[in-house]
Amino acid sequence: MTQFLDPKTALAHLESYEQRDGLSAAQLMSSIKHGGLTYNDFLVLPGHIDFPASDVTTESRITRKVTLKTPFMSSPMDTVTEKEMAINMALLGGIGVIHHNQSAEDQAAMVRAVKRHENGFISDPVVFGPDDTVADVLDIKARLGFCGIPITDTGSLGGRLLGIVTSRDIQFHDPSIVLKEIMTTDLVTAPAGVTLAEANDLLRGCKKGKLPIIDTSGRLVSLLARSDLLKNQNFPLSSKSPESKQLYAAAAVGTRLSDRDRLVLLKEAGLDIVVLDSSQGNSIYQIEMIRWIKERWGDELQVIAGNVVTREQAAMLIQAGADGLRVGMGSGSICITQEVMAVGRPQATAVYQVAEFANQFGVPVIADGGIGNVGHIVKALAMGASAVMMGGLLAGTEEAPGEYFYHEGKRVKAYRGMGSIEAMEQRSVGAKAAPPSTIPSKSKGKSQVNGVNRTTATPVSDTGNAATARYFSETSSVKVAQGVSGDVQDKGSIHKFLPYLYTGLQHSLQDVGQRSVAALQQGVKDGVVRFELRTASAQVEGGVHGLHSYTKRLFA
């Protein structure tokens, strides 16, 4: 008769095995054994659950200095991220990177709108004087979305507070009416030096929409808004600067000399994070751009460099001063770089190899491309990414630019790669003529450009747009596409879709037995979190199969 081991010794017997079940990340990601892997090529093995999914924290760094409550970023594409996406991504705990296939002025206005959407103490409020008009207030409302404006004797911050103009004050009034005739003068104020908590308590107790902060002479020092109090309550995960309490703003720029002028405008508008947008980030242009930014602003402006897919690329940008790295080349759903250029790398392998190197220097990695579902997000984080950047996954939401239309009976929005011919042919409306950029020559001479030493170079006229610059195609008489145009199905509002991704991520980490993103990555490093390769038939088995028809609802 078969003799079985005592069940009480199961855990002790488990220790007799030479290694844990499954593969370590290093074993899984051996390019010599397995080649390059995508997210669909492997699974994370389950761990032990001793906590509810609601206990899982998804906090993660996206740069050396910036930490988000959720590891979600929207891509700087002209069919994905403009003002609405950037604001709502930040409110929901992520961050949206505003695209630069538009004029510098328009992009700066979007950055300014993000920064003004939520504040602690508003240290630079819009202020009018008593002789300004209703038309001026209507203009601010149209451009910035609010009209609760303090009135001072000088028309500027630091002037003596006279009153406030609200949306109710200007209703039914002729635009030519001066504000001193309609402003509200019955004000509740707080003294300079009041804490944010005390000011919030005072705002809760009164029925006013704005709380002016004044000094002992009655001069306006700053402002607090009731709407921001409500946002704090409704959006507890929101991505905010710990100092100003404003939403984080991120935007993309290119790496040509004209982009330096653009970046100055964006920084004046309040930019926190700049993403250097290039399909191949290991270039002299990007290295010099990073150095120039760091010399001018230091850590005040965080720089995410890229894109890269190898350690060698990453090393160049890290040494130049990058605060974060964007990883991915040809893995996006609308990208054909790998097909056309024969250059790139399967995304899971790229993320693992770059993150393993960059994390030793404290530089976070952002997995950009190839994210199609919650499972891909988890796998990217397990491979060492601190965040994921999403394009197609968010392009069909209400907050993405563009209008819905119907295609083959389905409600869709346009979505295109920045390497598509359509994106390359678009001109930035209102863009100023750009000064010449440069490419290195064989000369060993040096020259000064914006205060930075660089190799003497041959001028290159910047006649393209953000898309052509991203793919180094400004001077090409023939545009070679590295992306396609298409459409994506309606996903509703990100106010429903992003919480689905967040909750799905929590449940996935629970299945793996890890309470946080940091714990997941430490578990991978220690060999506790294990993986398994998937054959083609295993991938079929892991999806819906064997049904005549089905409905796939992702969340409710």
Side-chain angles (χ1 to χ4, degrees), residues 15-31:
E15 299 297 324
S16 67
Y17 286 79
E18 291 185 2
Q19 63 179 28
R20 287 176 172 266
D21 206 351
L23 302 172
S24 68
Q27 292 168 331
L28 174 72
M29 287 296 160
S30 171
S31 295

Side-chain angles (χ1 to χ4, degrees), residues 433-465:
S437 182
T438 55
I439 57 174
S441 72
K442 294 181 180 179
S443 169
K444 295 182 180 179
K446 297 283 185 179
S447 64
Q448 284 275 325
V449 179
N450 284 14
V452 179
N453 283 321
R454 63 180 296 153
T455 306
T456 302
T458 305
V460 175
S461 155
D462 188 357
T463 58
N465 61 3

Side-chain angles (χ1 to χ4, degrees), residues 104-105 107-109 111-112 251-254 256-272 274 276 289 292-293 296-297 300-301 432 450:
E105 293 78 9
Q107 191 182 19
V111 169
R112 196 171 290 109
V253 300
R256 299 301 196 253
L257 293 183
S258 58
D259 289 294
R260 299 186 181 190
D261 296 329
R262 175 185 290 266
L263 186 54
V264 170
L265 281 180
L266 298 180
K267 186 66 179 69
E268 289 173 352
L271 189 69
D272 301 295
V274 61
L276 300 184
M289 187 69 161
W292 176 78
I293 293 170
R296 177 155 186 163
W297 289 294
E300 185 182 339
L301 182 60
K432 295 179 179 178
N450 284 14

Side-chain angles (χ1 to χ4, degrees), residues 50 55 73 76 135 157 194-195 237 249 273 334 366 410 417 436 452 465 471-472 488:
D50 59 357
D55 281 0
M73 303 178 70
L157 190 69
V194 66
T195 67
L237 298 176
I273 301 168
I334 39 66
I366 296 157
K410 294 185 177 179
V452 179
N465 61 3
Y471 293 90
F472 306 105
V488 289

Side-chain angles (χ1 to χ4, degrees), residues 77-80 101 334 395 414-424 426 465 483-487:
M77 303 169 71
D78 58 10
T79 52
V80 179
N101 204 20
I334 39 66
Y415 176 51
R416 69 187 186 191
M418 295 306 289
S420 67
I421 295 297
E422 290 79 3
M424 289 184 178
Q426 176 174 313
N465 61 3
V484 301
S485 295
D487 54 62

